[in-house]
Amino acid sequence: MLTIFAATACSQNKAKSNMEKKKVLVVYFSATGNTKHVAQQIAALADADICEITPTKPYSHADLDWNNQQSRSSVEMNNPDARPEIKAISTDVSKYDYIFLGYPIWWDLAPRAVNSFIEATDLAGKTVIPFATSGSSAIANSVAVLKKSYPTIKWQNGKLLNSVSKKEIEKWVSETTK
């Protein structure tokens, strides 16, 4: 009986040791705070570091008015080449095994600030796990466009995390970082 207990304890320690070797980072862009809240939950559940994609010029309420074709967000999203300037991040992304990448969905896509981050950061060969918040869109198209635009990244399937329980987020985080 003691031998079985000892063997079980050793295998549990080995599994725990393997998980401890994996470094997780949560990177997110949030214009209104919804995505930030989810990012903070993921970081806490994954025992991950967290980093915000911050535009050098914050988005105002008027900038986010999707009904106004002249609003900053509308103009950016109507231009596939738009890359809003973002503040440099101080996190060394190269030391992480998994990167959760969060964003609100704008016009069925990731906001252009996410593209700015990806293009300023060497994510080639990194495992990137997208997550999003949205008032009405699914995540599938935004992930498909990111995968097509940045094929050197190891993309995992994304998940829309609107009104999802902590337990559901915890299960998803656990499954994606195995």
Side-chain angles (χ1 to χ4, degrees):
M1 181 83 156
L2 197 53
T3 306
I4 293 171
F5 176 75
T8 303
C10 287
S11 67
Q12 288 174 344
N13 287 340
K14 185 177 180 182
K16 186 177 180 183
S17 174
N18 287 340
M19 282 305 292
E20 288 173 4
K21 292 179 185 176
K22 295 180 180 173
K23 296 280 292 172
V24 180
L25 175 66
V26 177
V27 178
Y28 69 93
F29 167 72
S30 185
T32 63
N34 293 332
T35 306
K36 178 179 183 174
H37 176 71
V38 174
Q40 289 171 330
Q41 287 183 319
I42 292 170
L45 292 167
D47 192 25
D49 295 329
I50 191 165
C51 174
E52 183 173 8
I53 300 168
T54 308
T56 55
K57 179 184 173 199
Y59 287 87
S60 69
H61 182 71
D63 290 337
L64 299 172
D65 183 0
W66 59 274
N67 288 311
N68 177 355
Q69 291 299 309
Q70 299 307 309
S71 73
R72 178 176 165 200
S73 59
S74 294
V75 170
E76 287 175 1
M77 295 311 292
N78 283 323
N79 178 0
D81 297 324
R83 296 298 182 266
E85 188 176 337
I86 60 172
K87 295 178 182 178
I89 62 166
S90 59
T91 305
D92 179 6
V93 176
S94 69
K95 69 180 185 176
Y96 294 92
D97 302 301
Y98 293 100
I99 299 166
F100 284 90
L101 179 61
Y103 52 88
I105 297 177
W106 291 0
W107 290 261
D108 206 26
L109 300 169
R112 303 296 183 206
V114 172
N115 299 87
S116 297
F117 166 75
I118 292 171
E119 292 171 12
T121 310
D122 183 10
L123 297 175
K126 292 285 179 194
T127 299
V128 177
I129 308 156
F131 67 94
T133 58
S134 173
S136 61
S137 299
I139 193 172
N141 188 63
S142 68
V143 173
V145 171
L146 289 171
K147 285 179 178 182
K148 184 177 179 184
S149 299
Y150 307 103
T152 62
I153 296 172
K154 293 182 200 172
W155 293 99
Q156 287 194 4
N157 290 330
K159 186 160 182 80
L160 190 64
L161 296 173
N162 290 340
S163 305
V164 177
S165 72
K166 181 179 176 181
K167 187 174 182 175
E168 289 174 279
I169 294 173
E170 186 174 28
K171 181 179 183 231
W172 177 68
V173 167
S174 176
E175 290 171 352
T176 56
T177 57
K178 284 184 179 178

